[in-house]
Amino acid sequence: MRFWGGLRNFIGLGGFHKLNSLMRPLAYLLFSLLAAIQAPAQGKLRELLTGRPPEGFTERSWTVDGVKRTALVRVPADPKAPEAVVFCWHGHGGNSAQSVRGWAFDKADPTSILIYPQGLPTVSPLVDKEGRRSGWQSAVGAEGDRDIKLFDAILADLKKERSVNERRIYSMGHSNGAAFSYVLWQARPDVLAAVGSVAGSLTIKARDLKPLPVIHVAGENDPLVKFAWQQATFAAVRRFNACSDEGNPYAKEGVLEATLFPSTKGAPLVTAIHRGGHEYPKGSSELIARFFKENPKK
């Protein structure tokens, strides 16, 4: 009270009223924010401020080559059959929690075990030449295969703990995480059932890959992973998978209109094109979840 009285005397009554009118909306905003944090409907905001895992997920850790690695894991309650497993790899500079919240893959696929690993500092020639931000190895043999080993360690533990459907193990990701899913195609073709890519590209130099179903989401105006590079990926996947050059309408979700390229080897390609850039566009999770369910390992 002495503070406000002294302030009023210092700036004058008129100035005090003006200051009071300015402070009142700020105080209301602060009060509303605090109330929102306590409200059940604002669980996501509370998670962000407290650092808790997103609702329905737990953080787990593994030691790989002496390095602690972590992932956010969603395990469905009371499974009625062996469970599918989907690995979800964030983009360079991202993190697992952001991907859980931003992609909402758990809403599109409520029945699979979802794994969102956390990357380590990694060099990216495009955006991080000093390797200060999190990412994934860019090729088989790079970074001591640390991320392929992480994939193996997580999957081995899951098989000990759960009834895993060996015909339904999938990998998907955004940007660098999408490229790493293509690396896993080369490294673990007999483990994966299908691959999903959003704003990624196939950088593998292998001449031959074992046919595997692929769904790829691409932006025509991607400033980072150029659309021309992604078109080259489409052509390479069609060649590896013995797909037709002519596509058929597949599905529409969000801003995406997808096309299916059938394969004579049971490994179709679906492309979903949008007019945006390097984002994870609306409808991606729904399309990828549908494609995975339709394509168990043959």
Side-chain angles (χ1 to χ4, degrees):
M1 294 299 291
R2 289 182 179 178
F3 171 79
W4 288 109
L7 182 63
R8 182 173 58 188
N9 292 333
F10 178 75
I11 64 176
L13 186 60
F16 180 79
H17 286 314
K18 289 181 180 180
L19 179 62
N20 190 39
S21 65
L22 291 173
M23 292 294 291
R24 192 176 299 144
L26 181 60
Y28 177 77
L29 178 61
L30 180 60
F31 177 82
S32 299
L33 179 61
L34 292 173
I37 295 173
Q38 296 175 358
Q42 300 297 324
K44 291 184 179 180
L45 178 60
R46 184 167 62 251
E47 291 163 4
L48 287 170
L49 295 178
T50 61
R52 295 178 185 175
E55 184 177 357
F57 285 79
T58 58
E59 184 178 76
R60 295 190 54 179
S61 64
W62 296 261
T63 299
V64 179
D65 289 342
V67 178
K68 181 181 178 181
R69 304 297 302 271
T70 64
L72 294 175
V73 181
R74 194 283 305 273
V75 177
D78 301 323
K80 297 181 180 179
E83 298 161 292
V85 179
V86 182
F87 284 80
C88 307
W89 311 89
H90 63 71
H92 191 90
N95 64 60
S96 51
Q98 289 173 350
S99 299
V100 169
R101 298 183 183 101
W103 302 355
F105 200 90
D106 53 315
K107 305 299 188 299
D109 181 359
T111 61
S112 298
I113 299 173
L114 302 184
I115 312 291
Y116 286 77
Q118 177 59 46
L120 296 177
T122 309
V123 171
S124 168
L126 292 177
V127 296
D128 187 9
K129 294 181 180 180
E130 295 182 354
R132 294 180 177 179
R133 294 185 286 170
S134 57
W136 313 103
Q137 65 183 89
S138 59
V140 173
E143 308 289 348
D145 277 337
R146 67 183 191 195
D147 301 316
I148 295 174
K149 293 176 182 178
L150 174 63
F151 170 82
D152 292 341
I154 294 173
L155 189 56
D157 270 3
L158 282 179
K159 289 180 179 180
K160 294 176 184 177
E161 301 165 2
R162 311 287 296 188
S163 177
V164 170
N165 188 337
E166 305 251 9
R167 296 180 61 228
R168 293 186 176 275
I169 298 171
Y170 306 96
S171 179
M172 59 82 66
H174 174 247
S175 189
N176 178 213
F180 180 60
S181 288
Y182 281 135
V183 171
L184 282 175
W185 177 7
Q186 182 184 13
R188 299 293 182 264
D190 295 322
V191 176
L192 295 178
V195 165
S197 168
V198 180
S201 65
L202 183 65
T203 58
I204 299 169
K205 296 182 180 179
R207 294 184 178 181
D208 297 295
L209 285 172
K210 183 176 180 178
L212 202 68
V214 172
I215 180 169
H216 189 123
V217 179
E220 293 178 330
N221 296 295
D222 194 324
L224 190 61
V225 181
K226 306 298 185 183
F227 186 57
W229 304 348
Q230 299 189 62
Q231 287 179 308
T233 295
F234 301 160
V237 172
R238 286 200 302 268
R239 182 173 69 254
F240 290 137
N241 286 354
C243 294
S244 65
D245 291 329
E246 297 296 325
N248 305 316
Y250 177 66
K252 293 181 180 181
E253 286 286 352
V255 299
L256 300 173
E257 188 165 340
T259 302
L260 170 69
F261 296 87
S263 165
T264 59
K265 296 185 177 180
L269 166 68
V270 165
T271 62
I273 312 301
H274 62 101
R275 295 182 180 180
H278 196 64
E279 67 267 26
Y280 189 97
K282 184 177 180 180
S284 298
S285 292
E286 289 79 5
L287 281 179
I288 295 172
R290 169 181 168 174
F291 183 78
F292 283 174
K293 288 180 180 179
E294 293 174 351
N295 288 279
K297 187 164 63 175
K298 301 295 185 282

